[in-house]
Amino acid sequence: MSSTRLALAFSAALLVPTQAPAAEVLVFAAASLRTALDDIAEQWQAETGHSVLVSYAGSSAQARQIIAGAPADIFLSASTDWMDAVQAEGLIADGMRRDLLGNALVLIAHAAAAPVTLTPALDLAAMLGDGHLAMALVDAVPAGQYGKAALQSLGLWEAVAPLVVQTDNVRAALALVALGEAPLGIVYATDARAEPAVTVLGTFPDESHPAITYPLALLTEARDPADRAFYDALQGEAARAVFERHGFVVLDQP
């Protein structure tokens, strides 16, 4: 090949578009989001060619990990307080935080049982008998904090506190009830919906606990356009449909 033809071939090669390499988005998300978020991530990966790696745990543990330097790109918490802690450290990109979802809190049982009304008149300790009440960590994990607040509001906490078995996250509490290792548990409504081996006995009144809100944030660690793209996708119509199908309330922004 002559030098002229070689130069022309090289120039033409430079004009051929190249496919951008696939990127990986690292998401830290509340354990209660596992079922819905796995569906959303799978759909987005198929559409974009990028990959999403989701780490599920209690929001308290994840916030501490992010503050300690964990390289997460997106944080989807079950608590505004723990998101506030991350924001206070300057780890949220400017203007990249919003309240995304809402949920409800329920009392569940392993075996089929008649529904109950969650009021101060309920003898929850008697319902437990010799068993335990499964809850996420009541002083750290949002589901446990909401559950303790609800029981305190109804005047039921003091009687059942010695019978509570605490887990690292809400899905672990759900598993204890699903496996029959605890007769009753307190979890989010979406968790109960995802587990056919449990029965919902009742829903705690909204006014008995702080509003359950899931804030979403793009973190300062995010560097790749795919990170922002997935952050936006979590607020899109396709994600809304999935969240709602799994029982979450999607919060509309003013």
Side-chain angles (χ1 to χ4, degrees):
M1 180 181 292
S2 69
S3 59
T4 300
R5 291 180 64 190
L6 183 61
L8 289 173
F10 179 71
S11 298
L14 294 178
L15 296 176
V16 176
T18 58
Q19 185 174 0
E24 182 177 83
V25 183
L26 177 57
V27 182
F28 277 22
S32 54
L33 291 159
R34 179 184 292 274
T35 311
L37 194 52
D38 279 353
D39 285 354
I40 293 168
E42 182 179 358
Q43 179 178 321
W44 188 79
Q45 288 174 137
E47 293 173 351
T48 66
H50 299 306
S51 62
V52 178
L53 178 62
V54 187
S55 173
Y56 295 104
S59 297
S60 54
Q62 293 189 321
R64 293 188 184 106
Q65 290 170 8
I66 292 169
I67 292 169
D73 301 311
I74 292 171
F75 184 30
L76 186 45
S77 170
S79 163
T80 55
D81 288 344
W82 286 112
M83 187 65 81
D84 289 346
V86 171
Q87 187 160 22
E89 296 294 325
L91 298 175
I92 296 178
D94 290 344
M96 294 298 164
R97 171 181 172 173
R98 63 155 294 184
D99 290 339
L100 184 66
L101 303 169
N103 212 332
L105 197 68
V106 297
L107 178 69
I108 59 170
H110 169 64
V116 299
T117 303
L118 297 173
T119 69
L122 181 69
D123 193 347
L124 186 56
M127 291 174 61
L128 289 166
D130 295 329
H132 291 86
L133 178 66
M135 297 177 66
L137 293 168
V138 299
D139 293 323
V141 176
Q145 293 173 311
Y146 294 131
K148 180 180 178 180
L151 293 173
Q152 288 176 324
S153 173
L154 296 174
L156 304 178
W157 174 251
E158 186 174 349
V160 300
L163 305 175
V164 172
V165 58
Q166 301 184 50
T167 63
D168 288 340
N169 61 71
V170 69
R171 283 299 175 100
L174 177 71
L176 286 181
V177 181
L179 294 171
E181 295 180 15
L184 301 176
I186 296 176
V187 299
Y188 296 123
T190 52
D191 296 311
R193 186 167 179 165
E195 176 51 75
V198 304
T199 300
V200 174
L201 300 184
T203 300
F204 286 91
D206 289 342
E207 63 273 15
S208 69
H209 56 79
I212 300 172
T213 303
Y214 291 71
L216 167 70
L218 184 71
L219 303 176
T220 54
E221 183 69 25
R223 299 284 191 272
D224 195 283
D227 302 330
R228 172 62 189 270
F230 190 61
Y231 170 81
D232 290 340
L234 288 171
Q235 303 170 60
E237 288 304 313
R240 171 189 282 267
V242 175
F243 283 130
E244 290 180 341
R245 186 171 73 247
H246 287 281
F248 290 94
V249 176
V250 179
L251 304 177
D252 292 318
Q253 295 300 291

